[in-house]
Amino acid sequence: MKILIIGGGWAGISAAVEASERGHQVFLVEERPYLGGRARSFIDRESGHHIDNGQHVMMGCYSSFLRVLQALGTEHLLERQRALQVAFVDKSATKSVLDASILPGKLGVVAGLLRLSGVQFTSRIACVRLAIAIALGTVHTTDCTCSEFLRRAKQPEDIVKRFWEPLVLATLNAPLDKASAELLVAVMRLAFLGSREDSSLLIPTCGLSDLIEPLPSWVASRGGSVKLSTSVDRLIIADHRCRQVVLSDGTIHHVDAVISAIPQRALERLCASSGTPVTFPAAPESSPIVSLYLWYTEQWMTHELLAALGTTVQWVFNKRRIARGLVALTVSAGHSIVGVSQDEIIRHCDAELRELLPEARHATLIRGLVIKEKMATPLFTPTTQRIRADHFMDQLENLLLAGDWTATGLPATIEGAARSGIWAIDCLSRVP
Ligand SMILES: Cc1cc2nc3c(=O)[nH]c(=O)nc-3n(C[C@H](O)[C@H](O)[C@H](O)COP(=O)(O)OP(=O)(O)OC[C@H]3O[C@@H](n4cnc5c(N)ncnc54)[C@H](O)[C@@H]3O)c2cc1C
């Protein structure tokens, strides 16, 4: 089949790899001059360093994402933890560690939770009891937020603050009182209650764009092509099928099938300008992520990564491989700071680091860079989670949907996007 893929983010990339491997002829069109979409890197003009648009962390359970890297031969660019290990630090500068390496498989995570310091023993037992119920599938999440779910499951405040809330922010990019509990349970089952490898973190040792750098030549070697800096402007529809696609360079392409791998609002605009009668479920609101890069004179950070508790800063990453003294910070669901000035954010987060980490107190800050991704991910509440779009649309039989916003069963993540690309290609068998 001749397939046109709209969008070169992780959903489009994964669809391109999957379709090429199944022998289809792929033409991927991306409007920006680079691939990667919301997960990309760029060269910072002032330092010359390769910087990501925001630190991304993947996990061993990201099987669709890893399938792409294996095909492209870039899997070696990820550093894998042997087992999940995350150090937490709070404002009293007390560190505790969630260490799943003590026992094999999911027992490792359970043992790690039982040993988590800074939390009452009874709270740890309550947490483990809930984890087991999730693993056994005996919990009910229909139409409930994470706050309601954790309240019903009688989770004490200390374990909510020190485990559940950081987990929800990091994986769902949403506050507890808005995030869908169904997605929290999906994350727990897939990532934390699978094998030891599933729960371990994968951290890129390079810029995010390096992971996908071979894609254009890889696709070309299989008879396809990738076109950058070109947008799909219009779909020409007849008899419930997309017959042709009009690009911004004026060219018109005949297609057997189209994979839309663009965000929901972009697809709605494209359908409107094409005069198609397609209707979509109401788009979820977006949740921002604010990322910071701070360059210090000294290499003060010793951990690879740290989760910060009770501060605006939520995660601190050691970026020594890029530059000595460079750290990256993440603020997920950053609604409260996304409107604050860059200088103020840098001042505030630098002060928090010094409060959290004695080793940072004597370091001199050289420079800071703030990246605000206002539309980082769709925010899935219980309502918007329930109505996520399927990959196959009855209204247009050869237009298949991919993207982190579609019904992947996962939060909006690289893995959700990569999974959606594969599932959209699976749907080609339903195209008449
Ligand atoms: C700062 C930040 C941190 C994150 N951290 C993590 C993390 O740690 N772990 C994780 O798993 N996920 C993380 N995510 C989420 C993850 O990056 C996204 O879920 C994923 O990249 C979405 O991929 P996508 O392909 O669905 O969409 P996109 O990446 O948005 O790709 C869509 C592409 O379509 C293109 N496009 C749009 N319209 C057109 C058109 N008409 N014609 C041609 N092209 C078009 C766009 O330019 C874009 O490149 C993070 C996101 C951000 C922003």
Side-chain angles (χ1 to χ4, degrees), residues 6-12 29-32 34 36-39 53-58 62 170 230-233 261-263 266 270 289 291 373 375-377 402-405 412-415 417 420:
I6 318 173
W10 267 90
V29 181
E30 165 56 52
E31 71 181 0
R32 304 233 177 98
Y34 51 81
R38 277 170 278 152
N53 66 316
Q55 176 71 45
H56 280 60
V57 175
M58 284 59 98
Y62 275 35
T230 308
S231 65
V232 170
D233 281 357
I262 59 182
L270 178 60
I289 298 181
S291 306
E373 287 277 9
M375 315 243 277
T377 61
D404 62 355
W405 59 279
T413 51
I414 286 197
E415 174 59 12
S420 75

Side-chain angles (χ1 to χ4, degrees), residues 3-220:
I3 297 168
L4 189 138
I5 299 173
I6 318 173
W10 267 90
I13 290 166
S14 162
V17 168
E18 193 65 23
S20 302
E21 287 202 320
R22 294 190 196 185
H24 298 293
Q25 193 192 346
V26 164
F27 181 30
L28 186 149
V29 181
E30 165 56 52
E31 71 181 0
R32 304 233 177 98
Y34 51 81
L35 294 169
R38 277 170 278 152
R40 68 185 181 282
S41 46
F42 59 93
I43 297 178
D44 169 53
R45 280 210 201 116
E46 208 170 316
S47 63
H49 296 144
H50 286 254
I51 296 291
D52 295 338
N53 66 316
Q55 176 71 45
H56 280 60
V57 175
M58 284 59 98
M59 299 186 80
C61 61
Y62 275 35
S63 55
S64 311
F65 160 77
L66 289 170
R67 196 153 143 176
V68 172
L69 299 196
Q70 277 153 12
L72 300 181
T74 53
E75 206 188 358
H76 65 282
L77 296 174
L78 294 176
E79 194 166 86
R80 280 171 179 264
Q81 287 185 329
R82 205 172 56 79
L84 177 69
Q85 219 171 30
V86 179
F88 296 83
V89 60
D90 62 21
K91 274 185 169 175
S92 64
T94 310
K95 288 199 184 96
S96 55
V97 181
L98 175 61
D99 183 356
S101 67
I102 309 150
L103 288 174
K106 59 189 84 166
L107 288 178
V109 173
V110 170
L113 287 171
L114 281 175
R115 288 160 51 107
L116 197 63
S117 55
V119 184
Q120 296 275 333
F121 184 67
T122 48
S123 306
R124 286 179 258 157
I125 295 286
C127 181
V128 168
R129 203 178 291 135
L130 179 55
I132 292 170
I134 290 173
L136 294 175
T138 56
V139 290
H140 300 286
T141 54
T142 319
D143 281 342
C144 96
T145 64
C146 292
S147 299
E148 287 157 358
F149 174 68
L150 296 173
R151 205 168 35 247
R152 275 191 227 155
K154 300 196 170 33
Q155 295 298 291
E157 203 182 323
D158 56 351
I159 197 76
V160 171
K161 285 278 163 234
R162 295 184 83 99
F163 177 69
W164 294 112
E165 187 173 34
L167 177 69
V168 169
L169 284 169
T171 58
L172 274 56
N173 189 30
L176 285 174
D177 61 352
K178 287 198 169 172
S180 149
E182 194 181 320
L183 288 175
L184 170 60
V185 166
V187 167
M188 281 297 287
R189 283 214 185 107
L190 184 73
F192 293 92
L193 300 168
S195 68
R196 171 182 284 195
E197 290 73 33
D198 286 344
S199 63
S200 62
L201 302 182
L202 309 178
I203 301 170
T205 58
C206 56
L208 283 169
S209 296
D210 297 334
L211 296 174
I212 47 169
E213 193 267 331
L215 186 85
S217 55
W218 188 91
V219 169

Side-chain angles (χ1 to χ4, degrees), residues 279-291:
T279 48
F280 294 97
E285 65 175 276
S286 298
S287 192
I289 298 181
V290 177
S291 306

